[in-house]
Amino acid sequence: MWLYVGFGGAMGALTRYGVSLLFSSIQLFHFPIATFLVNLLGSFLLGFMIGYAKKNSLKHRKMYTSLTVGFLGSFTTFSTFSIETVQLLEDGLIWISVIYVISSVLFGWMLASSGTNFGKRIILSGKG
Amino acid sequence: MTVVFVIIGGFLGAIFRFSISGFMNQRTDLFFPVGTFFVNMIGSFLLGLLVGSDQSGSYIFDWFGIGFLGSFTTYSTFMNELVQFDECEEKREAKLYVLISLFFGFLFGWIGIFVGKTFFF
């Protein structure tokens, strides 16, 4: 199982790095756009997977763990989120850091919740 | 080369999180998921250490910072644990878990940066 998690994690980290390169040239009042987006997108997708698993029997449990614990767990990141916040505070960008934290938590929570509800609605019979 | 380092770090980080956080979530009986909390706090401190000691751009930062610690810590699980609280009608627990995670995450991050700047720069 750990090999599946590791492989998913490697791909998740790579995708996160790709997104960070994609947004590296975009400046928006020092707001950490890349981390913000991966964390929100990842929270929604993980919610979706969890919701789906609650209503459907999983045929590929290892694949599911690889995608959830591995890929999405690694795609999103807490350490960068907290360090960016501390750096914004140290740079005196108090309001940006406040907006960053509140919007990350509020939208992340909402998206995880709607992802779960959305996933629960999808019920596949037969192949899945 | 950075890509290879990120892949290796991400591979190891996910496995470490899976083992450590899974083990702790099972063994400890607190009102919040201790395993996720633990990896996020340790990860914030260590990333602070790297940033504080100005390792940005070095190969250590690539594999350990972006790859390993990025994967070791997780935000999606954190958010979805809040949804689990909601589903159990535990609103107070959810809010407390958010506040504790944020407060100590920033604190450990800040301490990491401080220690990195003071002792390793």
Side-chain angles (χ1 to χ4, degrees), chain A residues 2 6 10 13 16-17 39 43 46-47 54 69 72-74 76-79 82-83 86-87 104-105 108-109 120, chain B residues 2-3 7 11 14-15 17 40 44 47-48 51 66 69-71 73-76 79-80 82-84 86-87 106:
Chain A
W2 58 269
R16 170 166 40 80
Y17 178 62
N39 280 346
S43 299
L46 183 60
K54 277 187 177 164
V69 181
L72 292 172
S74 293
T76 60
T77 180
F78 188 88
S79 51
S82 47
I83 295 305
V86 174
Q87 283 180 322
S104 290
V105 171
W109 196 340
K120 276 181 187 168
Chain B
T2 304
V3 168
I7 290 177
F11 181 83
I15 292 173
R17 168 166 44 77
N40 282 342
S44 297
L47 187 62
V51 169
I66 303 174
L69 293 174
S71 290
T73 60
T74 181
Y75 194 83
S76 52
M79 285 298 117
N80 277 280
L82 297 175
V83 178
Q84 305 304 312
D86 280 346
E87 292 189 339
F106 301 151

Side-chain angles (χ1 to χ4, degrees), chain B residues 44-46 48-50 52 107-117:
Chain B
S44 297
F45 172 77
L46 291 175
L49 214 57
L50 280 184
L107 183 68
F108 279 119
W110 180 78
I111 294 173
I113 292 176
F114 179 78
V115 172
K117 269 183 189 160

